[in-house]
Amino acid sequence: MTNSLRVPYDGIVMAAPVTIPYVRYSIESAQWWIGRALRALVTESGLKVSDIDGLCVSSFTMGTDSGIGLTQHFGLCVRWLDTIPLGGASAIAALRKAARAVQARDADIVACIAGDTNHVDSFRLTLENFSRFNQDAVYPYGAGGANSSFALIARNYMRSFGVTREDVGRIAVAQRANALRNPHALMKTPLSIEQYLAARPISDPIHLFDCVMPCAGAEAFLVMREDTAASLRLPAARLLSTIERHNAFADDPMQVRGGWAMDVGELYAMAGVKPDDLNIVQTYDDYPVISMMQFEDLGFCGKGEGAEFVRQHDLTIDGDLPHNTSGGQLSVGQAGAAGAYLGLVEGLRQVLGVAGPTQVRDASLGLASGFGMINYDRGLASGAAIFAGPSR
Amino acid sequence: MIDPIEPPRRKNPLLRTRLPTAPPRARSRTSHGFTRAAAEGRFMLQRCQGCGTFTYPAREACPSCLSSALAFVDAPARGLLLAETTARVPSDVYFRERAPWRVGLVKMDCGPTIVAHLHADCIEGAAVRMSFQLDKSGQAVAFARPEGETPDMADDRQWREMTADPKFRRVLVTNGRSAIGREAALALKAAGTKMVFVGIAEPWRPFAGEELLRRQDGIELVTLDAADEKSVGDLAADIGGKVDILVNTTEYVRPGGLLDRKGTSIARDEIDQAYLGFINLAQAFGPIMRMRGADGINNSVAWVNILSVHALANWPAFGAYSASQAACLSLSHCLRAELRPGGIKLMNVFTGPVDTEWFQTVPQPKVAPRAVAQAVVAGLRDGLEEMYVGDVAEEIRQRLAANPKALERELDR
Amino acid sequence: MQGRALLELADAIASDAVRVIDLSFTLSPDFPVIVLPPEFGQAAPVRIQEISRYDARGPAWYWNNVTFGEHTGTHFDAPIHWFTGKDLANNAVDTMPAKDMIAPACVIDCSAQAAQDPDFVLTVPIVEAWEARHGRIPSRHWVLLRTDWSKKGWRDYSNLRDDGAHTPGPNPAVMRWLVEERGIIGFGTETIGTDAGQAGHFEPPYPAHHFLHGAGRYGLQCLCNLDQLPATGAIIVASPLKIKNGSGSPLRVIALVSST
């Protein structure tokens, strides 16, 4: 059924989903968090450190290090190495690169890791050095971060398609309900739609519960061939398809769609599935309005129909379209670049049946998407992946 | 709708003075094309010299055709406000203190989209007029205002952060003995200042226009000999904390260059009055002005120098004078950098020969002192850094950019 | 006997039997100076620039650099200052005889007339009338013109109008007469300049300068406290700075006056 021209991911799997629980502030370095994730990958999988022959890392707070510094730091000897600076799209990008490397046997076992610390000035320093366009043409305007840039996008999107704050709030409220089952979520109190609507404004129309909480943490997984996972007796999920697109729709005066909309047909064609087949969806939720945009751009509904879609579906773990089942970044926290991984790692747990308190019954086919790098006035990077558990 | 600003009340002497903070300063080198535009009050964008596309933010290759021939050109300033937001809790200290702060995204008629500060009267979906202004970091930022005039437009809170409007402020005009000084005092008063202090050196010597100045309400003559460090220090001790705008109208013009003079006594006076006087003024008034950059509605905002355009290109007939002006120009750049942490703008107003006694034999066009004064007011209102007043100054600006060697030879008549 | 007289003089000063009167204005930037037509070279204004004041520039000391023209404030004119005296011997401040720096003075009080008329002019008849009361002016004495002009505010002191300064001074006839008929050592005034404000229109112009310096005599100006001097008997001490080939200098002019 596939009519994609791209080489299928036959025999490529993901295993050992790892989350190092987040904390609001940490005096440790990013390298400490990444090191902990690496160790967890090793102990989870029963591998030796020397078995890992590929490394892909993403982090905003590694300071002067990139991936190469970490090889010596952690005692890794790898034949494949990448550092991915794509923010919220880093996990999908890492997965794609690692998958092809393993497929071509350039590496056998690739560790994909993202980790960030959060010092009291981490957020500000990250913003200041984010990108040249942000430095020249956004930061001087007082936004102090993505909030005002996304506020403008949200305002335009909501105005263009008649979306209300209540529509958007449904997504946040459902995610909070999911998060209450996740012992590691940093947000621990219930959120009603009334509370969501009454929350204080940050940058109109973005209010408090539209925003993630920056924190410290790490996420990781392994990419390998199916036969490698079998020989290790490691539960693994098959990678069915991926897409990746950057700086799409540059002529849109304001961003109302992400790159997924360009390649969504290929995402499903390559996987041989339809949106209705998916048990779980993990969107990149830096803001709930962006999740709504992903429902449209990832084929669940048409452009401008996201509000109606959200009204018609129950996005909780027990609902008809379980979405951001761990609570998403909005309720768990955003640990820098690890935010890119949060959805994919939780999705892996779901289809492997090891999600524990947040497990969706019979989860077997999942989608995770990434979005990031708000450069100047729009998010440039995007990607998505569809994966299947052993039961599919 | 703008609430017009109220005349500021007397400062509470028991409260700590709010210190200046500044918006983010970092910019790429190419982005300083906007700095130049903002300094002169021009709206400029990069335009690809290959395919004609206008592009923003500043970059090194055209996003349409990849040509690196991107030049900053004057561009149409009209656009449409697509979306706006009001930042309530900015993380940056400067904006946090001034929240709520309104920004928006404007689609320019000529193509690019620009994130801009918004005047309160800008309406989403309506046309706006864009400009580049120098913010409190001294860097260029895009600013959108409504297309037409709206009531009390200049009182917009965010606009006032970009400008140095004399309204309700207290100004020191350092030299009231000259025609420019006199006209500047009158023009500033007409622009709504609370008080204009006019410095007079050697008060025992009468001068033209003295009676006229003394008669004005809102103008106060003070003793000030800029070249005498004690005189400057004494005046600063008295009124330093009340100078929101300083207009340096030092004027010492004598003809002659090098070989047509004998000795250095005139040159010594030129340096003494213009250069050492500048230093004294800067040392006495600079620190307190810098400290008061965020001190309420009548915070200190600007330092203005009236300079000969021949500071930029020596005119041998007035060669020694040109050199003293060049010295002052260089000092002014130093002072600009030193005042920047206080958010104080330093504006240089360049003029060609002024229609006064020492340029009596110079043919027209000459600049009327009143025109210089009006330029000062306009420049303060628009938040400019460089102004060229009159035909000669404007021509020299253009000829310098085109070919300084041709200009040098042609000034040597 | 001279030795004892000098010691007696010192005792008299210490006991105020002889009073020392300071006839000098403070040298400062705000004191009026002579204003020449702008096309001519101008005297430098007085500048006092601190080098240090018990601070980082010099922790334990205070000192200044001082700039002034030779003819600023209370000052001395030497014969070389005017073209009429340019070829005389010993005509500069560094070559003039030191003994000329101490000499008695005759003080002619014209304060009443000057109060009425800023262009008051000292004439021969006025001096002769003074001599009738106080005796003939001896040779090698200073003649000091008291006008009480030094008591005025600075604007009235310089008294500049559309056609220049209007301040009192001597006419040509009295200057020639004082120099040639009375052999005065020098002429002193309270105003800016030994000559009247409008003396440029006299014939010869600036007759005090013309005749004094042409005869190797001296000028003193911007004096004050002349009202504390007796008409005769005061001893003037006026020693200008020893500037190489100098035409004059600001100086401290003092008068010794007997209390009795």
Side-chain angles (χ1 to χ4, degrees):
Chain A
M1 233 180 83
T2 92
N3 49 15
S4 165
L5 295 175
R6 287 168 53 212
V7 175
Y9 289 113
D10 294 345
I12 301 301
V13 300
M14 300 167 283
V18 156
T19 300
I20 307 300
Y22 302 170
V23 296
R24 176 80 165 108
Y25 289 111
S26 165
I27 62 171
E28 305 294 352
S29 66
Q31 285 81 340
W32 183 89
W33 287 92
I34 292 167
R36 288 197 58 203
L38 184 61
R39 180 174 158 84
L41 283 176
V42 159
T43 51
E44 285 276 310
S45 59
L47 289 166
K48 298 191 296 302
V49 172
S50 53
D51 293 331
I52 295 178
D53 64 350
L55 173 67
C56 191
V57 67
S58 296
S59 175
F60 287 115
T61 53
M62 275 199 299
T64 44
D65 263 345
S66 66
I68 187 67
L70 300 185
T71 60
Q72 188 175 38
H73 193 134
F74 298 134
L76 294 167
C77 173
V78 294
R79 54 193 178 124
W80 185 89
L81 176 67
D82 209 343
T83 306
I84 301 198
L86 293 180
S90 297
I92 305 297
L95 172 60
R96 285 165 48 93
K97 295 185 206 305
R100 294 308 186 190
V102 165
Q103 200 165 35
R105 293 178 184 258
D106 287 346
D108 292 329
I109 299 178
V110 178
C112 295
I113 312 177
D116 267 295
T117 186
N118 192 37
H119 304 321
V120 289
D121 58 351
S122 294
F123 191 60
R124 176 173 61 82
L125 292 174
T126 300
L127 290 176
E128 285 174 8
N129 298 298
F130 204 68
S131 78
R132 181 171 134 173
F133 278 10
N134 281 5
Q135 167 195 271
D136 283 352
V138 175
Y139 203 47
Y141 296 86
N147 285 332
S148 287
S149 304
F150 276 106
L152 290 169
I153 291 173
R155 172 107 181 117
N156 177 66
Y157 173 84
M158 291 166 77
R159 214 163 61 105
S160 302
F161 300 118
V163 175
T164 66
R165 286 195 58 227
E166 183 157 359
D167 295 328
V168 174
R170 282 174 209 279
I171 298 174
V173 166
Q175 286 186 207
R176 181 62 64 91
N178 294 344
L180 293 179
R181 299 203 207 182
N182 176 359
H184 298 306
L186 291 185
M187 309 304 267
K188 298 199 181 295
T189 56
L191 177 67
S192 68
I193 190 65
E194 290 77 24
Q195 287 168 317
Y196 170 87
L197 290 170
R200 69 172 174 150
I202 303 297
S203 189
D204 307 19
I206 302 287
H207 289 237
L208 183 62
F209 294 115
D210 294 301
C211 301
V212 300
M213 175 184 284
C215 58
E219 306 260 356
F221 55 86
L222 296 173
V223 177
M224 61 187 71
R225 288 185 308 285
E226 200 159 19
D227 52 14
T228 310
S231 72
L232 291 169
R233 282 195 242 288
L234 212 44
R238 284 170 293 122
L239 179 60
L240 300 185
S241 70
T242 68
I243 52 172
E244 184 178 344
R245 180 68 67 172
H246 307 298
N247 193 33
F249 308 119
D251 290 339
D252 286 355
M254 290 196 70
Q255 186 169 45
V256 291
R257 47 190 173 158
W260 317 275
M262 270 188 82
D263 306 297
V264 59
E266 181 172 285
L267 177 68
Y268 291 103
M270 197 179 176
V273 304
K274 298 188 299 299
D276 281 345
D277 297 332
L278 296 164
N279 308 136
I280 49 151
V281 177
Q282 316 285 356
T283 64
Y284 187 82
D285 62 327
D286 49 358
Y287 298 89
V289 71
I290 302 297
S291 288
M292 186 178 283
M293 226 183 259
Q294 282 161 84
F295 288 133
E296 297 166 350
D297 297 338
L298 287 165
F300 293 92
C301 61
K303 181 52 62 183
E305 296 172 0
E308 180 61 23
F309 179 84
V310 166
R311 277 184 231 122
Q312 285 174 356
H313 290 277
D314 179 349
L315 303 174
T316 63
I317 287 165
D318 297 324
D320 62 302
L321 183 59
H323 168 251
N324 288 355
T325 51
S326 65
Q329 296 177 83
L330 286 169
S331 288
V332 178
Q334 181 184 67
Y341 277 63
L342 184 152
L344 183 55
V345 169
E346 168 70 4
L348 276 184
R349 284 200 193 92
Q350 289 284 346
V351 302
L352 292 178
V354 298
T358 59
Q359 183 68 53
V360 170
R361 272 175 48 125
D362 302 325
S364 60
L365 188 70
L367 179 152
S369 67
F371 174 72
M373 304 315 287
I374 178 121
N375 190 61
Y376 184 43
D377 63 339
R378 59 196 63 207
L380 293 185
S382 67
I386 294 177
F387 43 92
S391 58
R392 169 115 187 157
Chain B
M1 284 296 295
I2 304 288
D3 287 326
I5 54 170
E6 295 287 309
R9 297 176 45 201
R10 281 197 174 154
K11 187 173 170 178
N12 182 342
L14 300 179
L15 293 180
R16 177 186 175 279
T17 300
R18 181 172 79 158
L19 292 178
T21 53
R25 248 197 103 214
R27 295 291 194 282
S28 65
R29 178 172 296 176
T30 309
S31 196
H32 283 301
F34 302 119
T35 310
R36 193 257 225 113
E40 295 179 18
R42 298 162 70 179
F43 184 72
M44 302 177 82
L45 292 174
Q46 276 179 312
R47 186 171 206 184
C48 178
Q49 304 300 285
C51 70
T53 304
F54 285 98
T55 181
Y56 181 88
R59 64 192 79 196
E60 325 300 11
C62 175
S64 277
C65 73
L66 290 179
S67 166
S68 58
L70 290 169
F72 278 90
V73 301
D74 292 305
R78 193 181 173 279
L80 200 72
L81 180 60
L82 293 184
E84 60 152 302
T85 183
T86 302
R88 309 272 174 180
V89 199
S91 54
D92 177 271
V93 176
Y94 171 86
F95 288 106
R96 186 69 154 249
E97 292 178 297
R98 289 157 182 79
W101 191 274
R102 201 158 161 262
V103 299
L105 197 83
V106 175
K107 172 99 168 86
M108 300 302 295
D109 287 357
C110 62
T113 50
I114 299 185
V115 172
H117 296 300
L118 294 185
H119 187 279
D121 289 338
C122 289
I123 298 169
E124 215 173 35
V128 296
R129 169 172 46 127
M130 288 289 271
S131 62
F132 282 107
Q133 307 294 139
L134 295 173
D135 66 10
K136 286 295 188 189
S137 278
Q139 305 288 50
V141 286
F143 200 101
R145 282 174 288 168
E147 241 193 329
E149 292 293 311
T150 59
D152 301 307
M153 207 167 164
D155 286 358
D156 177 73
R157 219 172 30 90
Q158 295 186 194
W159 178 250
R160 278 179 64 87
E161 286 291 309
M162 310 290 153
T163 58
D165 201 311
K167 183 173 169 183
F168 294 153
R169 290 196 162 103
R170 299 149 301 179
V171 183
L172 170 61
V173 174
T174 63
N175 171 32
R177 301 193 79 98
S178 69
I180 289 179
R182 198 163 54 246
E183 293 292 340
L186 295 170
L188 287 159
K189 179 186 141 95
T193 52
K194 177 162 193 289
M195 174 61 68
V196 181
F197 300 105
V198 180
I200 303 292
E202 298 179 332
W204 45 269
R205 255 193 322 129
F207 60 98
E210 182 176 0
E211 263 322 289
L212 173 67
L213 282 182
R214 284 201 190 279
R215 273 205 304 271
Q216 303 281 330
D217 282 336
I219 291 184
E220 185 182 318
L221 268 52
V222 295
T223 300
L224 175 61
D225 181 352
D228 171 22
E229 68 185 41
K230 184 167 188 297
S231 173
V232 182
D234 286 350
L235 184 65
D238 269 342
I239 68 166
K242 294 177 188 166
V243 175
D244 308 322
I245 298 174
L246 188 148
V247 183
N248 176 12
T249 52
T250 295
E251 191 173 293
Y252 192 87
V253 182
R254 295 293 184 273
L258 290 163
L259 305 187
D260 55 355
R261 284 188 180 178
K262 196 164 172 225
T264 56
S265 74
I266 302 179
R268 206 200 44 75
D269 282 338
E270 283 160 347
I271 298 298
D272 185 57
Q273 300 262 339
Y275 185 86
L276 296 182
F278 190 118
I279 293 175
N280 289 334
L281 289 170
Q283 289 180 347
F285 288 93
I288 181 65
M289 287 181 75
R290 185 169 63 181
M291 185 255 194
R292 287 192 55 245
D295 188 18
I297 285 179
N298 54 352
N299 55 333
S300 51
V301 276
W303 179 298
V304 182
N305 296 310
I306 315 297
L307 293 172
S308 167
V309 73
H310 292 289
L312 299 162
N314 189 293
W315 181 18
F318 285 82
Y321 168 64
S322 300
S324 74
Q325 294 291 286
C328 292
L329 174 62
S330 188
L331 270 188
S332 80
H333 291 163
C334 178
L335 183 60
R336 178 178 283 149
E338 292 181 345
L339 289 177
R340 182 195 44 76
I344 310 295
K345 272 186 181 33
L346 186 139
M347 177 168 77
N348 284 330
V349 178
F350 296 101
T351 89
V354 188
D355 206 347
T356 53
E357 51 176 0
W358 288 101
F359 294 112
Q360 173 244 329
T361 60
V362 174
Q364 292 288 348
K366 289 190 279 195
V367 187
R370 181 162 304 174
V372 180
Q374 285 165 349
V376 169
V377 172
L380 288 170
R381 283 192 172 135
D382 287 339
L384 305 185
E385 223 175 55
E386 319 282 347
M387 294 195 82
Y388 294 82
V389 185
D391 298 330
V392 169
E394 175 56 28
E395 189 187 273
I396 288 189
R397 181 182 77 78
Q398 291 181 29
R399 289 165 64 192
L400 261 178
N403 182 353
K405 267 302 172 184
L407 177 61
E408 185 187 341
R409 288 293 182 276
E410 289 175 14
L411 284 170
D412 166 20
R413 251 186 266 270
Chain C
M1 201 182 84
Q2 268 91 334
R4 217 168 53 239
L6 286 177
L7 288 173
E8 282 170 10
L9 174 61
D11 285 341
I13 291 171
S15 67
D16 286 330
V18 167
R19 284 180 298 121
V20 180
I21 315 287
D22 187 350
L23 304 186
S24 325
F25 278 104
T26 304
L27 187 65
S28 91
D30 45 4
F31 190 79
V33 295
I34 192 129
V35 180
L36 295 187
E39 293 83 1
F40 291 150
Q42 305 289 326
V46 175
R47 295 282 174 246
I48 303 173
Q49 289 155 332
E50 263 183 23
I51 304 171
S52 75
R53 195 181 179 95
Y54 330 112
D55 56 19
R57 299 172 294 171
W61 50 93
Y62 160 53
W63 55 333
N64 300 303
N65 279 327
V66 187
T67 308
F68 46 78
E70 288 171 332
H71 298 267
T72 309
T74 300
H75 70 277
F76 186 98
D77 287 355
I80 199 175
H81 179 45
W82 211 250
F83 78 99
T84 48
K86 70 183 170 69
D87 296 324
L88 299 175
N90 302 324
N91 59 354
V93 286
D94 60 330
T95 52
M96 64 181 279
K99 70 191 280 190
D100 288 355
M101 300 176 188
I102 304 179
C106 299
V107 182
I108 304 182
D109 180 5
C110 298
S111 56
Q113 299 96 309
Q116 300 299 316
D117 177 14
D119 292 310
F120 163 76
V121 162
L122 183 71
T123 62
V124 172
I126 293 174
V127 183
E128 283 174 334
W130 182 92
E131 285 184 323
R133 287 183 60 193
H134 302 287
R136 185 187 163 98
I137 293 172
S139 144
R140 305 303 286 175
H141 278 228
W142 285 93
V143 169
L144 305 180
L145 175 60
R146 175 187 158 190
T147 52
D148 284 355
W149 210 253
S150 60
K151 297 181 183 177
K152 291 179 182 293
W154 288 163
R155 174 151 274 195
D156 293 330
Y157 181 81
S158 45
N159 208 24
L160 289 163
R161 302 198 201 141
D162 283 351
D163 54 355
H166 289 265
T167 55
N171 72 1
V174 79
M175 282 316 304
R176 179 199 287 273
W177 184 82
L178 285 170
V179 167
E180 293 177 5
E181 303 299 328
R182 293 297 180 267
I184 62 173
I185 194 171
F187 187 76
T189 63
E190 297 184 45
T191 50
I192 303 170
T194 46
D195 274 302
Q198 292 290 302
H201 300 294
F202 293 177
E203 189 49 54
Y206 306 104
H209 290 76
H210 187 101
F211 291 113
L212 282 171
H213 305 317
R217 317 297 167 81
Y218 311 113
L220 277 174
Q221 43 248 296
C222 300
L223 298 173
C224 60
N225 291 329
L226 294 188
D227 57 335
Q228 294 183 41
L229 302 184
T232 60
I235 304 292
I236 305 299
V237 180
S239 29
L241 294 173
K242 196 173 183 180
I243 299 171
K244 185 175 171 73
N245 213 36
S247 74
S249 89
L251 78 175
R252 205 65 177 267
V253 181
I254 54 178
L256 303 174
V257 171
S258 171
S259 296
T260 49

